[in-house]
Amino acid sequence: MPNKIDYCMPLPILYSFRRCPYAIRARYILTLLDVPVQLREVVLKDKPNALLELGGRTTVPQMVLSDGGRLEESLDIIHYALQHTGKDSVDELWPSTPLKRIKINTWVSYNDTRFKYWLDRYKYSDRHDESESFYRAKAEVFIKRLEKRLSHQAFVLSTASPTIADVCLFPFIRQFVGVDTKWFETSEYANVRRWLNWFLESTEFKAVMTKFEKWQPEQDVVLFPAQAK
Ligand SMILES: N[C@@H](CCC(=O)N[C@@H](CS)C(=O)NCC(=O)O)C(=O)O
């Protein structure tokens, strides 16, 4: 079935930053569901005027729709992709059962608030009052919860395939691992390692991490995911 995109309309514009975990989760879903956008790679310290002139929020990822509508949150972009794909994996990624949806939102919200708070301190402990190991222990509360969950099923809410909870979490867990990879490799978190590697080794992740030049207004349109390898 073709994607539910009207090809007469200009494609939505996605302002994105390659390493941003929120942008990674959005690009991962766009890739998985093959929903096309015009990608504009942003350098956070030098945001393009086209983004600044929109006014209001200038965080990335941010999507500007052909009717001028804006999606300013990674989760809104994910839901846009779920609604505009022709792929049939939507029900696996975002199951219709209300309880599952509540659970997905709870995991994502814990990740984006409490875990992210401690992760930022762990990443930049030199800018804060406590030691790296102090902040790591705080962040590990979430990692332990995830490990427990993944010790009896392959994904956060399912044994068979990821939901958007997994996709939303993994870019942040990747950052956690990146602070001290050696420590993580020998840590007790074998199931988190297995789960994270599943994403990192996926073809979608490789496409998501394709390097694009900083966007300039005069450059040719970059079609994503089509131009991602
Ligand atoms: N809640 C937002 C967070 C987005 C966010 O904080 N993005 C960071 C980059 S990882 C950003 O744009 N920082 C630059 C800024 O705040 O101006 C989402 O889910 O999209």
Side-chain angles (χ1 to χ4, degrees), residues 17 19-23 25-26 42 44-45 47 57-62 71-77 112 116 172 175:
F17 171 50
R19 287 188 291 121
C20 166
Y22 301 99
R25 63 162 64 146
V42 169
L44 293 180
K45 284 186 192 146
K47 291 178 180 168
R57 283 271 295 274
T58 59
T59 51
V60 295
Q62 181 151 177
L71 306 177
E72 299 176 334
E73 290 284 336
S74 52
L75 268 179
D76 293 338
I77 298 168
D112 289 10
K116 168 85 164 74
F172 293 83
Q175 285 200 339

mmCIF file of all heavy atoms in Angstrom, residues 17 19-23 25-26 42 44-45 47 57-62 71-77 112 116 172 175, ligand 1:
data_model
loop_
_atom_site.group_PDB
_atom_site.id
_atom_site.type_symbol
_atom_site.label_atom_id
_atom_site.label_comp_id
_atom_site.label_asym_id
_atom_site.label_seq_id
_atom_site.Cartn_x
_atom_site.Cartn_y
_atom_site.Cartn_z
ATOM 1 N N PHE A 17 19.034 17.435 14.161
ATOM 2 C CA PHE A 17 20.458 17.487 14.512
ATOM 3 C C PHE A 17 20.885 16.039 14.705
ATOM 4 O O PHE A 17 20.264 15.305 15.477
ATOM 5 C CB PHE A 17 20.658 18.325 15.777
ATOM 6 C CG PHE A 17 22.036 18.267 16.357
ATOM 7 C CD1 PHE A 17 23.161 18.486 15.568
ATOM 8 C CD2 PHE A 17 22.226 17.985 17.710
ATOM 9 C CE1 PHE A 17 24.441 18.425 16.113
ATOM 10 C CE2 PHE A 17 23.497 17.924 18.258
ATOM 11 C CZ PHE A 17 24.607 18.148 17.460
ATOM 12 N N ARG A 19 23.067 14.171 16.198
ATOM 13 C CA ARG A 19 23.358 13.482 17.457
ATOM 14 C C ARG A 19 22.276 13.647 18.530
ATOM 15 O O ARG A 19 22.363 13.055 19.599
ATOM 16 C CB ARG A 19 24.703 13.951 17.996
ATOM 17 C CG ARG A 19 25.873 13.392 17.175
ATOM 18 C CD ARG A 19 27.206 13.693 17.816
ATOM 19 N NE ARG A 19 27.547 15.098 17.784
ATOM 20 C CZ ARG A 19 27.782 15.845 18.858
ATOM 21 N NH1 ARG A 19 27.701 15.327 20.062
ATOM 22 N NH2 ARG A 19 28.102 17.118 18.734
ATOM 23 N N CYS A 20 21.297 14.490 18.273
ATOM 24 C CA CYS A 20 20.259 14.744 19.292
ATOM 25 C C CYS A 20 19.406 13.481 19.497
ATOM 26 O O CYS A 20 18.837 12.950 18.537
ATOM 27 C CB CYS A 20 19.376 15.902 18.822
ATOM 28 S SG CYS A 20 17.848 16.044 19.773
ATOM 29 N N PRO A 21 19.299 13.002 20.738
ATOM 30 C CA PRO A 21 18.528 11.771 20.957
ATOM 31 C C PRO A 21 17.047 11.893 20.607
ATOM 32 O O PRO A 21 16.422 10.925 20.184
ATOM 33 C CB PRO A 21 18.720 11.483 22.457
ATOM 34 C CG PRO A 21 19.200 12.762 23.060
ATOM 35 C CD PRO A 21 19.886 13.536 21.981
ATOM 36 N N TYR A 22 16.504 13.093 20.768
ATOM 37 C CA TYR A 22 15.098 13.290 20.391
ATOM 38 C C TYR A 22 14.964 13.213 18.860
ATOM 39 O O TYR A 22 13.991 12.688 18.336
ATOM 40 C CB TYR A 22 14.590 14.657 20.855
ATOM 41 C CG TYR A 22 14.667 14.884 22.341
ATOM 42 C CD1 TYR A 22 15.716 15.615 22.899
ATOM 43 C CD2 TYR A 22 13.685 14.379 23.190
ATOM 44 C CE1 TYR A 22 15.782 15.854 24.259
ATOM 45 C CE2 TYR A 22 13.750 14.610 24.562
ATOM 46 C CZ TYR A 22 14.803 15.353 25.093
ATOM 47 O OH TYR A 22 14.872 15.576 26.439
ATOM 48 N N ALA A 23 15.939 13.795 18.178
ATOM 49 C CA ALA A 23 15.903 13.771 16.706
ATOM 50 C C ALA A 23 16.166 12.355 16.194
ATOM 51 O O ALA A 23 15.583 11.931 15.186
ATOM 52 C CB ALA A 23 16.928 14.752 16.142
ATOM 53 N N ARG A 25 15.265 9.569 17.667
ATOM 54 C CA ARG A 25 14.026 8.753 17.793
ATOM 55 C C ARG A 25 13.039 9.101 16.678
ATOM 56 O O ARG A 25 12.386 8.228 16.119
ATOM 57 C CB ARG A 25 13.394 8.897 19.180
ATOM 58 C CG ARG A 25 12.926 10.289 19.520
ATOM 59 C CD ARG A 25 11.933 10.403 20.672
ATOM 60 N NE ARG A 25 12.363 10.014 21.967
ATOM 61 C CZ ARG A 25 11.942 10.603 23.111
ATOM 62 N NH1 ARG A 25 11.103 11.628 23.068
ATOM 63 N NH2 ARG A 25 12.331 10.174 24.280
ATOM 64 N N ALA A 26 12.967 10.395 16.345
ATOM 65 C CA ALA A 26 12.034 10.810 15.281
ATOM 66 C C ALA A 26 12.499 10.265 13.925
ATOM 67 O O ALA A 26 11.707 9.702 13.164
ATOM 68 C CB ALA A 26 11.937 12.332 15.250
ATOM 69 N N VAL A 42 20.671 20.869 11.291
ATOM 70 C CA VAL A 42 20.893 22.112 12.028
ATOM 71 C C VAL A 42 22.139 21.988 12.900
ATOM 72 O O VAL A 42 22.404 20.939 13.467
ATOM 73 C CB VAL A 42 19.650 22.386 12.933
ATOM 74 C CG1 VAL A 42 19.908 23.502 13.922
ATOM 75 C CG2 VAL A 42 18.427 22.682 12.076
ATOM 76 N N LEU A 44 23.326 23.412 16.315
ATOM 77 C CA LEU A 44 22.573 24.065 17.399
ATOM 78 C C LEU A 44 23.109 25.457 17.746
ATOM 79 O O LEU A 44 22.347 26.340 18.122
ATOM 80 C CB LEU A 44 22.557 23.179 18.645
ATOM 81 C CG LEU A 44 21.763 21.873 18.519
ATOM 82 C CD1 LEU A 44 21.809 21.084 19.817
ATOM 83 C CD2 LEU A 44 20.314 22.132 18.116
ATOM 84 N N LYS A 45 24.439 25.635 17.599
ATOM 85 C CA LYS A 45 25.025 26.940 17.948
ATOM 86 C C LYS A 45 24.816 27.964 16.841
ATOM 87 O O LYS A 45 25.159 29.132 17.013
ATOM 88 C CB LYS A 45 26.530 26.780 18.194
ATOM 89 C CG LYS A 45 26.827 26.147 19.524
ATOM 90 C CD LYS A 45 28.324 26.141 19.769
ATOM 91 C CE LYS A 45 28.627 25.243 20.963
ATOM 92 N NZ LYS A 45 29.896 24.550 20.833
ATOM 93 N N LYS A 47 21.774 28.216 14.552
ATOM 94 C CA LYS A 47 20.484 27.796 13.971
ATOM 95 C C LYS A 47 20.158 28.655 12.756
ATOM 96 O O LYS A 47 20.400 29.869 12.769
ATOM 97 C CB LYS A 47 19.378 27.922 15.019
ATOM 98 C CG LYS A 47 19.501 26.911 16.154
ATOM 99 C CD LYS A 47 18.419 27.107 17.198
ATOM 100 C CE LYS A 47 18.566 26.102 18.321
ATOM 101 N NZ LYS A 47 17.746 26.402 19.491
ATOM 102 N N ARG A 57 9.299 28.112 19.838
ATOM 103 C CA ARG A 57 10.271 27.044 20.067
ATOM 104 C C ARG A 57 11.217 26.879 18.884
ATOM 105 O O ARG A 57 10.765 26.840 17.736
ATOM 106 C CB ARG A 57 9.538 25.715 20.279
ATOM 107 C CG ARG A 57 8.915 25.536 21.635
ATOM 108 C CD ARG A 57 9.872 24.918 22.625
ATOM 109 N NE ARG A 57 10.263 23.559 22.286
ATOM 110 C CZ ARG A 57 9.558 22.474 22.643
ATOM 111 N NH1 ARG A 57 8.433 22.596 23.304
ATOM 112 N NH2 ARG A 57 9.994 21.267 22.329
ATOM 113 N N THR A 58 12.498 26.766 19.177
ATOM 114 C CA THR A 58 13.452 26.515 18.082
ATOM 115 C C THR A 58 14.278 25.255 18.375
ATOM 116 O O THR A 58 15.378 25.098 17.854
ATOM 117 C CB THR A 58 14.401 27.715 17.865
ATOM 118 O OG1 THR A 58 15.111 27.951 19.087
ATOM 119 C CG2 THR A 58 13.653 28.954 17.450
ATOM 120 N N THR A 59 13.724 24.385 19.229
ATOM 121 C CA THR A 59 14.431 23.131 19.497
ATOM 122 C C THR A 59 14.298 22.204 18.285
ATOM 123 O O THR A 59 13.409 22.374 17.448
ATOM 124 C CB THR A 59 13.839 22.407 20.731
ATOM 125 O OG1 THR A 59 12.431 22.312 20.569
ATOM 126 C CG2 THR A 59 14.176 23.131 22.023
ATOM 127 N N VAL A 60 15.202 21.242 18.224
ATOM 128 C CA VAL A 60 15.075 20.194 17.209
ATOM 129 C C VAL A 60 14.865 18.864 17.936
ATOM 130 O O VAL A 60 15.331 18.731 19.067
ATOM 131 C CB VAL A 60 16.341 20.098 16.312
ATOM 132 C CG1 VAL A 60 16.496 21.352 15.504
ATOM 133 C CG2 VAL A 60 17.588 19.780 17.108
ATOM 134 N N PRO A 61 14.159 17.910 17.348
ATOM 135 C CA PRO A 61 13.587 17.963 16.015
ATOM 136 C C PRO A 61 12.331 18.830 15.986
ATOM 137 O O PRO A 61 11.636 18.956 17.000
ATOM 138 C CB PRO A 61 13.228 16.496 15.749
ATOM 139 C CG PRO A 61 12.865 15.968 17.101
ATOM 140 C CD PRO A 61 13.792 16.655 18.049
ATOM 141 N N GLN A 62 12.082 19.376 14.837
ATOM 142 C CA GLN A 62 10.885 20.184 14.651
ATOM 143 C C GLN A 62 10.424 20.010 13.204
ATOM 144 O O GLN A 62 11.243 20.037 12.283
ATOM 145 C CB GLN A 62 11.230 21.636 14.941
ATOM 146 C CG GLN A 62 10.058 22.512 14.786
ATOM 147 C CD GLN A 62 10.060 23.757 15.665
ATOM 148 O OE1 GLN A 62 9.148 24.527 15.526
ATOM 149 N NE2 GLN A 62 11.010 23.976 16.547
ATOM 150 N N LEU A 71 5.115 20.786 14.269
ATOM 151 C CA LEU A 71 5.215 19.740 15.286
ATOM 152 C C LEU A 71 6.523 19.999 16.018
ATOM 153 O O LEU A 71 7.599 19.843 15.450
ATOM 154 C CB LEU A 71 5.194 18.350 14.646
ATOM 155 C CG LEU A 71 4.010 18.060 13.715
ATOM 156 C CD1 LEU A 71 4.126 16.684 13.089
ATOM 157 C CD2 LEU A 71 2.687 18.174 14.477
ATOM 158 N N GLU A 72 6.395 20.430 17.265
ATOM 159 C CA GLU A 72 7.581 20.905 17.995
ATOM 160 C C GLU A 72 8.153 19.878 18.957
ATOM 161 O O GLU A 72 9.128 20.159 19.645
ATOM 162 C CB GLU A 72 7.216 22.180 18.761
ATOM 163 C CG GLU A 72 6.768 23.290 17.835
ATOM 164 C CD GLU A 72 6.304 24.536 18.578
ATOM 165 O OE1 GLU A 72 5.861 24.414 19.733
ATOM 166 O OE2 GLU A 72 6.376 25.616 18.002
ATOM 167 N N GLU A 73 7.544 18.720 19.029
ATOM 168 C CA GLU A 73 7.987 17.671 19.955
ATOM 169 C C GLU A 73 8.282 16.404 19.170
ATOM 170 O O GLU A 73 7.515 16.034 18.273
ATOM 171 C CB GLU A 73 6.885 17.353 20.972
ATOM 172 C CG GLU A 73 6.625 18.430 21.988
ATOM 173 C CD GLU A 73 7.693 18.481 23.073
ATOM 174 O OE1 GLU A 73 8.368 17.451 23.320
ATOM 175 O OE2 GLU A 73 7.861 19.553 23.659
ATOM 176 N N SER A 74 9.349 15.709 19.558
ATOM 177 C CA SER A 74 9.699 14.464 18.873
ATOM 178 C C SER A 74 8.525 13.485 18.872
ATOM 179 O O SER A 74 8.267 12.808 17.871
ATOM 180 C CB SER A 74 10.933 13.826 19.513
ATOM 181 O OG SER A 74 10.767 13.700 20.908
ATOM 182 N N LEU A 75 7.788 13.431 19.981
ATOM 183 C CA LEU A 75 6.660 12.480 20.047
ATOM 184 C C LEU A 75 5.560 12.849 19.055
ATOM 185 O O LEU A 75 4.906 11.967 18.486
ATOM 186 C CB LEU A 75 6.082 12.447 21.461
ATOM 187 C CG LEU A 75 6.666 11.394 22.397
ATOM 188 C CD1 LEU A 75 6.020 11.492 23.769
ATOM 189 C CD2 LEU A 75 6.492 9.972 21.847
ATOM 190 N N ASP A 76 5.373 14.152 18.821
ATOM 191 C CA ASP A 76 4.362 14.570 17.838
ATOM 192 C C ASP A 76 4.791 14.136 16.431
ATOM 193 O O ASP A 76 3.958 13.746 15.606
ATOM 194 C CB ASP A 76 4.176 16.095 17.864
ATOM 195 C CG ASP A 76 3.563 16.560 19.180
ATOM 196 O OD1 ASP A 76 2.920 15.744 19.852
ATOM 197 O OD2 ASP A 76 3.752 17.737 19.529
ATOM 198 N N ILE A 77 6.085 14.204 16.171
ATOM 199 C CA ILE A 77 6.600 13.784 14.853
ATOM 200 C C ILE A 77 6.404 12.269 14.690
ATOM 201 O O ILE A 77 6.006 11.781 13.631
ATOM 202 C CB ILE A 77 8.084 14.189 14.695
ATOM 203 C CG1 ILE A 77 8.201 15.720 14.763
ATOM 204 C CG2 ILE A 77 8.677 13.640 13.401
ATOM 205 C CD1 ILE A 77 9.613 16.244 14.906
ATOM 206 N N ASP A 112 12.212 10.795 29.692
ATOM 207 C CA ASP A 112 12.415 12.194 29.275
ATOM 208 C C ASP A 112 12.527 13.155 30.451
ATOM 209 O O ASP A 112 12.974 14.292 30.269
ATOM 210 C CB ASP A 112 11.252 12.650 28.371
ATOM 211 C CG ASP A 112 11.292 11.978 26.996
ATOM 212 O OD1 ASP A 112 12.080 11.039 26.818
ATOM 213 O OD2 ASP A 112 10.527 12.405 26.111
ATOM 214 N N LYS A 116 16.576 11.527 32.091
ATOM 215 C CA LYS A 116 17.299 12.562 31.332
ATOM 216 C C LYS A 116 18.000 13.547 32.289
ATOM 217 O O LYS A 116 19.123 13.992 32.039
ATOM 218 C CB LYS A 116 16.296 13.285 30.420
ATOM 219 C CG LYS A 116 16.784 14.557 29.767
ATOM 220 C CD LYS A 116 17.525 14.259 28.489
ATOM 221 C CE LYS A 116 17.717 15.470 27.600
ATOM 222 N NZ LYS A 116 18.714 16.426 28.060
ATOM 223 N N PHE A 172 18.745 7.555 24.287
ATOM 224 C CA PHE A 172 19.191 8.083 25.579
ATOM 225 C C PHE A 172 20.069 7.053 26.299
ATOM 226 O O PHE A 172 21.056 7.400 26.932
ATOM 227 C CB PHE A 172 17.974 8.470 26.433
ATOM 228 C CG PHE A 172 17.236 9.644 25.853
ATOM 229 C CD1 PHE A 172 16.298 9.463 24.843
ATOM 230 C CD2 PHE A 172 17.514 10.926 26.274
ATOM 231 C CE1 PHE A 172 15.641 10.537 24.277
ATOM 232 C CE2 PHE A 172 16.860 12.016 25.717
ATOM 233 C CZ PHE A 172 15.927 11.819 24.711
ATOM 234 N N GLN A 175 23.421 7.247 24.919
ATOM 235 C CA GLN A 175 24.216 8.326 25.512
ATOM 236 C C GLN A 175 24.771 7.909 26.876
ATOM 237 O O GLN A 175 25.921 8.191 27.198
ATOM 238 C CB GLN A 175 23.358 9.582 25.692
ATOM 239 C CG GLN A 175 23.093 10.315 24.398
ATOM 240 C CD GLN A 175 22.677 11.763 24.641
ATOM 241 O OE1 GLN A 175 22.214 12.119 25.724
ATOM 242 N NE2 GLN A 175 22.827 12.582 23.628
HETATM 243 N N1 LIG B 1 10.932 17.761 24.250
HETATM 244 C C1 LIG B 1 11.655 18.036 23.014
HETATM 245 C C2 LIG B 1 13.142 18.242 23.361
HETATM 246 C C3 LIG B 1 13.995 18.648 22.174
HETATM 247 C C4 LIG B 1 15.364 19.191 22.615
HETATM 248 O O1 LIG B 1 15.563 19.562 23.764
HETATM 249 N N2 LIG B 1 16.315 19.236 21.656
HETATM 250 C C5 LIG B 1 17.612 19.798 21.929
HETATM 251 C C6 LIG B 1 18.715 19.088 21.162
HETATM 252 S S1 LIG B 1 18.947 17.428 21.706
HETATM 253 C C7 LIG B 1 17.667 21.238 21.425
HETATM 254 O O2 LIG B 1 17.061 21.584 20.432
HETATM 255 N N3 LIG B 1 18.465 22.063 22.099
HETATM 256 C C8 LIG B 1 18.734 23.408 21.630
HETATM 257 C C9 LIG B 1 17.868 24.423 22.279
HETATM 258 O O3 LIG B 1 17.241 24.104 23.295
HETATM 259 O O4 LIG B 1 17.853 25.528 21.779
HETATM 260 C C10 LIG B 1 11.405 16.901 22.024
HETATM 261 O O5 LIG B 1 10.975 15.808 22.442
HETATM 262 O O6 LIG B 1 11.574 17.099 20.810
#
